[in-house]
Structures are given as C-alpha cells and as structure tokens.
C-alpha cells in the first residue's frame, strides 16, 4: 500500500512539473500567466470542494465512490485534451503571419511541440 502511494504521488508530481514546463513553453518563458492561473484554479477547487468530496466519500459505498471518481477523472482528461488540441491548433494556424517576431515565436513553439505526437 505504501509503495503504491509512493508511485502515485511521484507520478502526480512529475505530471504537475511537466505541465508547468509545457505552459511556460507555450508563452516562450516570457509570462507566468498560464502557470499562475493553473495554480490558482486547481488550489481553489481543492479548497472550495475538498470538504464536499470528503462528505461524499464518507456517505457512499467505497466501490461506487471509486468508480465515480475514476469516471470523473477520465472525463476531465478528455476535456483537458480537447482544450489542449484547440490551443495547439490555434498556435499552428498563426504560422502564416509575416511579422519577424511572430515567425520566430512560432518556430520556437513548433520546436517545443515537435516532441509531442
């Protein structure tokens, strides 16, 4: 049980670190708006709804609760992926602009995104 928890927490920490790097790379490391917005929103949700989630877990059967949260997590991943694809599509559509700074910016973003499928 402890080993499973250690792997889960390590995975969560690695995901958050990579997400922050990705959000920073999208802005070419010139703005922390996306990173700070992510931090404020995620911590606000935990603060506002953490108690409600705890009450929900205590009042329902463990199997139902587990299934509910796994389903909710999968829906959140799908929604996040859709928003990410929209963002990446918007970035790739901006390549046709003729401003030198924009072209250089888009080259940098495309280099960063080249490692993603």
């Amino acid at each position: 049980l402890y080993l499973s928890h250690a792997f889960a927490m390590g995975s969560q920490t690695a995901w958050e670190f990579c997400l922050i790097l990705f959000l920073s790379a999208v802005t070419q490391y010139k703005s922390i708006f996306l990173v700070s917005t992510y931090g404020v929103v995620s911590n606000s949700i935990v603060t506002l709804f953490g108690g409600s989630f705890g009450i929900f877990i205590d009042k329902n059967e463990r199997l139902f609760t587990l299934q509910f949260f796994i389903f909710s997590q999968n829906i959140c991943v799908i929604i996040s992926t859709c928003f990410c694809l929209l963002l990446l599509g918007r970035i790739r559509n901006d390549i046709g602009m003729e401003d030198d700074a924009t072209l250089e910016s888009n080259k940098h973003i495309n280099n960063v995104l080249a490692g993603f499928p």
Side-chain angles (χ1 to χ4, degrees):
L1 185 61
Y2 290 121
L3 187 61
S4 174
H5 178 71
F7 283 132
M9 290 306 298
S11 174
Q12 177 68 24
T13 304
W15 165 252
E16 289 179 7
F17 179 74
C18 290
L19 182 62
I20 289 171
L21 288 179
F22 175 74
L23 291 174
S24 297
V26 167
T27 61
Q28 297 182 18
Y29 309 101
K30 293 182 181 176
S31 172
I32 60 168
F33 179 73
L34 289 176
V35 176
S36 60
T37 303
Y38 167 74
V40 167
V41 169
S42 63
N43 288 322
S44 297
I45 289 173
V46 169
T47 302
L48 293 174
F49 299 111
S52 301
F53 291 155
I55 292 169
F56 179 80
I57 291 169
D58 290 339
K59 288 187 176 183
N60 293 304
E61 293 182 21
R62 299 294 181 195
L63 182 59
F64 171 75
T65 304
L66 179 67
Q67 291 171 341
F68 175 78
F69 280 117
I70 288 175
F71 177 76
S72 299
Q73 182 181 16
N74 289 335
I75 294 297
C76 290
V77 168
I78 290 169
I79 292 170
S80 299
T81 302
C82 291
F83 280 121
C84 188
L85 288 174
L86 288 173
L87 176 66
L88 293 176
R90 183 176 169 206
I91 290 170
R92 290 180 187 246
N93 287 337
D94 289 342
I95 292 178
M97 302 178 116
E98 295 182 338
D99 183 17
D100 288 338
T102 304
L103 287 175
E104 198 62 37
S105 165
N106 288 332
K107 287 178 186 176
H108 174 73
I109 291 172
N110 284 332
N111 289 337
V112 170
L113 298 177
F116 295 104

